[in-house]
Amino acid sequence: MTTPPPSLPTTSYAILGMLALRPWSAYELTQQTRRSLGYCWPTAESVLYHEPKRLVGLGLATAKRQAAGRRTRTVYAITEQGRRVLADWLATPPSPPGLEAEAMLRLLYADQGSRQDLLDSVRATRAWALARAPEGLAQVRGYLTDGGPFPERLHLITLFGRFYLDLFELLVRWADLAEAEITAWPRTADLGMTDRTRALLEEMFTRLQPLADRATEQSTPGSGEA
Amino acid sequence: MTTPPPSLPTTSYAILGMLALRPWSAYELTQQTRRSLGYCWPTAESVLYHEPKRLVGLGLATAKRQAAGRRTRTVYAITEQGRRVLADWLATPPSPPGLEAEAMLRLLYADQGSRQDLLDSVRATRAWALARAPEGLAQVRGYLTDGGPFPERLHLITLFGRFYLDLFELLVRWADLAEAEITAWPRTADLGMTDRTRALLEEMFTRLQPLADRATEQSTPGSGEA
DNA sequence: GACAGCATGTAATGAGTTACATGATTAA
DNA sequence: TTAATCATGTAACTCATTACATGCTGTC
């Protein structure tokens, strides 16, 4: 273990992983990111220009200046040490998922604003999720016809994409439900336990039960499993 | 519009919203956060001590030092101006959701590591989702029996919780699927388009179609809707 | 009377975003 | 030739996290 206690920020591994697939220029990264990285590890574009330099400084990547037309651009590639560091990181436990959902925040405080505010927020969320669909459809179509840019990685990409399809569908379905509920409200404040709310809570209780059961099963060593 | 161009970071509104419900000390915020805010707007504890001070500086909250036992603690409360700023923000369009999912990142680069690494990551994700269930169950039980700490807000809290239940179920189901797939793989690299992968892609295509249709419907003004 | 952990903060560090800057290429 | 937009970067600033610090409270 000659690698110094790595502990880079996750963003570094995200870029390093990209470089493991093939060399990229920073701009190419900004483009490819839309198809993959952007889904699971959102970053500003400037990171995609900065981070590779850091990796070079650490000896995990190399930079080669190339002539592109009349201008020069920098193409980054992973080093052997970079591959080792990436592999080490992959053997490490993942940090839990974190979801930043402003729309949910707005729901939580909706009684401080108007019903229209809340409806707008819910609809914006659905619109955002729906807006991913056409591009996703094009990507999937591409995979099915020509295999896309990394055909040998399709088994991974497919599981990846499946998760985000599930997620977008969830957002749309939830927004449909929420819109229907909210539309039936006379206002946003002080409704409390309506009949409909009670029904929803009871359904949630029923669905939570089996999850909680599985949770305790797995935390106790269990007496089954001969 | 006497309020100066607000544009606070979302975190500020998150805290401000808490204060809109009732006054809290910073420590109380750290506790309550686990039940609500933590789901949609994750932050480090130190933020919950810092942010209220900023709000006070802006005139959006007040700080009152109280004796708690022999020690003093600071209780923060929202001001009228704070309520206005919060209401203005609620009328503003929400930024799109952002999901940081390290586990998905690891999936994306799984061909750079071992199959075991990938399985561990998938299982950790499921375990994390399952681990939320018992607390969620307790919360829902509380809502059904005594209404919880804010019974007049149950209609909001329920829609909120429903989303996260959906999400946790999704994570568990996806992890189950992924584990089954990966277990059937001989290795993580260079499998490409297996039969199973093709089947998944075709199902995804079918499910994406209606979403894409809805997306185009809603972006065009539409000729229906008399 | 000491140890664990609850309650309350602060400071330093480091990461990531917004905003700016500018050369090249293409279309009108 | 101008305008637009592609391609490439940099710098300043702000935010948020990690790590530390410390008084208080109950319990053994």
Side-chain angles (χ1 to χ4, degrees):
Chain A
M1 194 69 58
T2 45
T3 54
S7 251
L8 296 169
T10 299
T11 302
S12 300
Y13 297 109
I15 309 292
L16 193 55
M18 278 292 180
L19 299 184
L21 307 187
R22 56 158 257 208
W24 309 82
S25 75
Y27 181 71
E28 285 173 327
L29 284 175
T30 66
Q31 299 312 105
Q32 179 61 16
T33 265
R34 256 188 275 256
R35 314 189 84 219
S36 57
L37 244 194
Y39 286 106
C40 64
W41 205 258
T43 64
E45 281 196 3
S46 69
V47 172
L48 302 176
Y49 284 94
H50 255 173
E51 201 57 39
K53 287 181 202 285
R54 179 218 290 255
L55 295 177
V56 170
L58 294 170
L60 309 181
T62 59
K64 207 168 293 179
R65 295 196 71 80
Q66 292 187 343
R70 201 169 312 175
R71 196 178 179 177
T72 78
R73 66 177 188 174
T74 311
V75 173
Y76 299 95
I78 196 169
T79 63
E80 264 319 301
Q81 200 196 342
R83 280 191 198 280
R84 275 193 305 267
V85 167
L86 181 61
D88 287 350
W89 176 71
L90 285 169
T92 256
S95 65
L99 177 60
E100 275 185 4
E102 256 200 37
M104 293 299 145
L105 202 52
R106 285 151 190 274
L107 169 60
L108 208 46
Y109 304 139
D111 53 352
Q112 310 292 320
S114 77
R115 202 182 67 138
Q116 191 57 48
D117 292 343
L118 180 55
L119 279 172
D120 288 347
S121 168
V122 167
R123 287 177 181 143
T125 299
R126 178 177 47 218
W128 178 85
L130 285 175
R132 320 287 108 212
E135 193 185 344
L137 193 62
Q139 267 182 258
V140 170
R141 190 177 354 239
Y143 297 142
L144 282 169
T145 59
D146 67 11
F150 297 98
E152 74 286 2
R153 291 169 37 78
L154 264 181
H155 57 303
L156 300 173
I157 293 165
T158 297
L159 274 186
F160 182 91
R162 163 66 183 248
F163 175 80
Y164 289 96
L165 171 53
D166 286 351
L167 182 60
F168 296 144
E169 273 187 356
L170 184 160
L171 280 165
V172 171
R173 275 203 311 265
W174 179 86
D176 287 342
L177 168 72
E179 182 177 14
E181 295 291 321
I182 297 161
T183 302
W185 294 348
R187 60 185 186 278
T188 54
D190 297 329
L191 298 180
M193 180 76 89
T194 66
D195 288 350
R196 191 66 190 125
T197 290
R198 180 179 300 280
L200 283 172
L201 281 173
E202 276 161 2
E203 189 214 318
M204 286 165 65
F205 191 83
T206 305
R207 286 165 58 192
L208 271 164
Q209 205 101 253
L211 291 185
D213 290 347
R214 270 185 85 176
T216 55
E217 269 170 40
Q218 95 179 349
S219 61
T220 56
S223 45
E225 205 77 29
Chain B
M1 193 71 57
T2 44
T3 53
S7 252
L8 295 170
T10 300
T11 303
S12 301
Y13 297 110
I15 310 291
L16 192 56
M18 279 290 182
L19 299 184
L21 306 187
R22 57 157 254 210
W24 309 83
S25 76
Y27 181 72
E28 286 172 325
L29 284 176
T30 68
Q31 300 311 103
Q32 178 62 16
T33 263
R34 258 188 275 256
R35 315 189 80 219
S36 57
L37 241 196
Y39 286 106
C40 64
W41 205 257
T43 64
E45 279 195 4
S46 70
V47 171
L48 302 176
Y49 284 94
H50 255 169
E51 201 56 37
K53 286 181 201 286
R54 180 220 290 256
L55 295 177
V56 170
L58 294 170
L60 309 180
T62 59
K64 208 167 292 179
R65 295 197 70 80
Q66 292 187 344
R70 200 169 310 173
R71 195 179 180 178
T72 77
R73 66 176 187 172
T74 312
V75 174
Y76 299 94
I78 195 168
T79 62
E80 265 318 302
Q81 200 196 344
R83 282 192 197 279
R84 274 194 304 267
V85 167
L86 181 61
D88 286 350
W89 176 72
L90 284 169
T92 254
S95 64
L99 176 60
E100 275 184 6
E102 256 201 34
M104 292 300 144
L105 203 51
R106 287 149 189 276
L107 169 60
L108 210 45
Y109 304 138
D111 52 353
Q112 311 293 317
S114 78
R115 204 182 66 139
Q116 191 58 48
D117 292 344
L118 180 54
L119 279 172
D120 288 347
S121 169
V122 166
R123 287 176 182 143
T125 299
R126 178 177 47 219
W128 178 84
L130 286 174
R132 317 291 105 211
E135 195 186 341
L137 192 63
Q139 266 182 259
V140 169
R141 190 178 355 242
Y143 297 142
L144 282 168
T145 61
D146 67 12
F150 298 98
E152 75 285 3
R153 292 169 36 77
L154 265 181
H155 56 304
L156 300 173
I157 293 166
T158 298
L159 275 186
F160 182 91
R162 161 69 182 249
F163 174 80
Y164 288 96
L165 171 54
D166 286 351
L167 182 60
F168 296 145
E169 274 188 353
L170 184 159
L171 280 165
V172 171
R173 274 203 312 266
W174 179 85
D176 286 342
L177 168 72
E179 182 176 16
E181 295 289 323
I182 297 162
T183 302
W185 294 348
R187 61 184 186 279
T188 54
D190 296 330
L191 297 181
M193 179 75 89
T194 66
D195 287 351
R196 191 67 190 121
T197 291
R198 180 180 300 281
L200 283 172
L201 281 172
E202 274 161 3
E203 190 213 319
M204 286 165 66
F205 191 84
T206 305
R207 286 165 57 192
L208 271 164
Q209 204 100 255
L211 291 185
D213 289 349
R214 269 185 86 176
T216 55
E217 269 169 40
Q218 99 180 345
S219 62
T220 55
S223 45
E225 206 75 31

